[in-house]
Amino acid sequence: MTREEIMAGLKKCARKLGRTPTTTEVRRMTKITNYLIHKHFANVSHAFREAGLEARGVGHRVDTATLLADWAHLTRKLGRPPSFMEYKKAGQFGANSFLNRCGAWSRVGERFRAVVQENKTQSEWADVLEIVGRWEGNTTAEGRRKMQNNRPSERPIIDEPQPRRKIRSDRPIYGAPSKLAGMSYEPVNEAGVVYVFGRVADKLGMEVERIQTAFPDCEAMREVAQGKWQRVKIEFEFASRNFVDHGHAQDGCDIIVCWVHNWVDCPEYIEVIELRRVVRGM
């Protein structure tokens, strides 16, 4: 698929929806994958801009009130708070954004109620607030199962991990099975993140110049527009929050490359590339 075909596909998708699509909607409605976008553009936002669309999604922060309003509309439609997977399929924004703002999926309703009270919009969302109150304390996986007892015709919703099973101390830990060629399992440490980055750096529009043990871990040239490159400083972490735990200077790097992005208060001037999204989208 050519660069022009990708831009035409994004525009067609936007016309059908009447707005800028999410990356999930792009994949569902077209044959355009994240791999194809990163092959021709610096990132998803760059592709949207080149197609004349307002960029949204990863890298573009949505204000919390807008984010929660979309969750509330889906809650109103379902008559109950959506599960993580339900929102991921039907919501307009990335479901992980709620984890960054609220700390846990089970606390989204609590945050919604606080924002509504702060903005004095209780009358507008009275029905949703009633649903939130009815489901209070029951939006975890276990709580949903209890609530489902009143709806025997509905299929139980499982949107949180299974209870931790016994971990044996005499053998190594592996990640989930990986879809990345040349790697059987997903990384469980920083060294695995470095390896994955090396496999997909070209698809992210980067050419590595230097990797070192000192901070920052990596220097690379990045294609920021067609035929235009800039140097970027990269720090590798398994989880983005480790950047703070390791005591790194926030003005010392441009990009954190991680497997899991869990740094809620990450400054906007530091870009975070969550490799598990990149790999799973390929």
Side-chain angles (χ1 to χ4, degrees):
M1 188 175 290
T2 66
R3 182 186 181 91
E4 290 70 27
E5 287 172 332
I6 290 174
M7 288 193 292
L10 293 176
K11 291 177 183 178
K12 183 178 179 181
C13 191
R15 283 196 300 271
K16 287 183 178 180
L17 294 170
R19 56 172 170 77
T20 303
T22 64
T23 52
T24 301
E25 288 168 335
V26 169
R27 288 196 299 270
R28 187 168 63 237
M29 298 171 67
T30 70
K31 294 182 180 180
I32 301 172
T33 63
N34 283 351
Y35 167 77
L36 288 172
I37 290 176
H38 285 100
K39 183 178 179 181
H40 295 283
F41 301 91
N43 51 45
V44 175
S45 299
H46 181 212
F48 281 141
R49 286 195 300 271
E50 288 292 301
L53 303 173
E54 180 185 357
R56 64 184 293 169
V58 179
H60 288 265
R61 188 176 179 85
V62 178
D63 67 88
T64 302
T66 302
L67 193 69
L68 291 169
D70 188 60
W71 175 88
H73 282 301
L74 186 56
T75 298
R76 178 179 282 160
K77 180 179 178 181
L78 296 174
R80 55 177 169 74
S83 70
F84 180 86
M85 292 306 297
E86 285 173 330
Y87 185 85
K88 192 172 182 180
K89 291 178 181 178
Q92 289 190 31
F93 304 105
N96 285 326
S97 299
F98 291 90
L99 304 184
N100 294 336
R101 310 289 177 88
C102 306
W105 186 257
S106 58
R107 298 181 61 186
V108 176
E110 173 187 336
R111 185 67 188 278
F112 171 77
R113 182 162 51 198
V115 170
V116 166
Q117 291 174 348
E118 180 182 340
N119 295 334
K120 296 180 170 50
T121 53
Q122 291 94 327
S123 59
E124 178 185 352
W125 298 109
D127 58 329
V128 178
L129 290 171
E130 191 276 328
I131 294 172
V132 169
R134 189 164 12 116
W135 278 76
E136 188 171 8
N138 291 302
T139 51
T140 62
E142 180 61 29
R144 287 182 180 277
R145 282 192 285 271
K146 290 179 180 178
M147 293 294 281
Q148 290 301 324
N149 291 334
N150 299 324
R151 301 177 178 84
S153 61
E154 290 191 16
R155 194 174 171 187
I157 297 168
I158 300 175
D159 61 337
E160 295 188 8
Q162 293 289 330
R164 182 184 294 272
R165 296 178 173 86
K166 181 180 179 180
I167 296 178
R168 300 180 182 275
S169 59
D170 61 342
R171 58 199 69 179
I173 297 291
Y174 296 83
S178 172
K179 295 181 179 179
L180 181 65
M183 191 172 194
S184 300
Y185 299 96
E186 295 178 349
V188 294
N189 51 44
E190 186 177 314
V193 170
V194 176
Y195 175 79
V196 172
F197 175 76
R199 302 282 301 186
V200 303
D202 60 327
K203 298 175 179 58
L204 296 172
M206 296 192 191
E207 291 289 335
V208 175
E209 287 195 317
R210 173 184 175 86
I211 291 182
Q212 59 186 14
T213 55
F215 173 79
D217 294 323
C218 174
E219 286 188 8
M221 295 298 291
R222 185 187 205 183
E223 189 176 21
V224 294
Q226 191 169 13
K228 297 180 180 180
W229 296 69
Q230 285 185 328
R231 177 171 283 102
V232 290
K233 298 178 180 180
I234 301 170
E235 180 67 13
F236 298 116
E237 301 286 2
F238 175 74
S240 58
R241 186 67 177 75
N242 293 348
F243 186 93
V244 179
D245 298 338
H246 294 162
H248 295 313
Q250 294 187 10
D251 59 353
C253 82
D254 306 303
I255 303 171
I256 298 173
V257 173
C258 61
W259 188 251
V260 177
H261 181 21
N262 62 350
W263 186 5
V264 178
D265 300 320
C266 179
E268 292 185 5
Y269 58 82
I270 300 180
E271 180 182 351
V272 178
I273 298 178
E274 190 177 27
L275 288 180
R276 64 176 178 175
R277 288 192 180 187
V278 175
V279 171
R280 293 171 184 178
M282 289 170 57

